[in-house]
Amino acid sequence: MHRSLSNQSVALKSLISRTLHGKRAFLSRPSKAVRSDVRGHVVDRALKTQTRLSYPSRQKVLAAYADGTPVKEIVSRFGICRSTIWKIVTSAGQQTRNHELSPAVQEEVRRLYESGLTLAEITKKLGVGRVNARAIIISEGGTMRSRGRRHK
């Protein structure tokens, strides 16, 4: 019996303490700074700060994409993700650009990977994207090695 009375729970201790000493005022938290952006409304309750592009900004993204502006440039100009550009373009019904690599480049990617180079080394040497290089290797029936490891 003694043990059960002497081992009070935290909640009970807090209740007794507040009753005996009077309720303390809680410190109020400072109000959140208002987030704003010149491009449009900023979402408050997201894991990352997200900017909603206004209709005119979306039209500018579409125009830049249609004019052939590189996606990297559009990303830096509007501060949005590559996938956002793809979503904007496809939802507007525009065709996405698909840069097919020449058969000679595809063969070179496959040959270099089979010789033991990593994807990072191949992309640096040939100037192709990692995703494209990986797709070429898989489409040719190759299997991907563990990341960062060289094939001996």
Side-chain angles (χ1 to χ4, degrees), residues 59 61-67 86 88-97:
Q59 294 307 310
V61 168
L62 285 170
Y65 188 84
D67 290 342
W86 183 81
I88 291 170
V89 170
T90 55
S91 68
Q94 283 188 9
Q95 289 288 346
T96 56
R97 296 190 300 244

Side-chain angles (χ1 to χ4, degrees), residues 99-110:
H99 297 291
E100 289 291 325
L101 298 174
S102 68
V105 172
Q106 291 181 14
E107 178 60 29
E108 185 70 6
V109 167
R110 188 190 56 72

Side-chain angles (χ1 to χ4, degrees), residues 53-72:
L53 289 178
S54 62
Y55 181 78
S57 294
R58 291 174 67 92
Q59 294 307 310
K60 289 177 185 174
V61 168
L62 285 170
Y65 188 84
D67 290 342
T69 306
V71 173
K72 284 184 179 181

Side-chain angles (χ1 to χ4, degrees), residues 68-86:
T69 306
V71 173
K72 284 184 179 181
E73 187 177 322
I74 298 171
V75 164
S76 63
R77 187 185 311 168
F78 291 94
I80 55 179
C81 288
R82 295 175 64 89
S83 61
T84 303
I85 295 171
W86 183 81

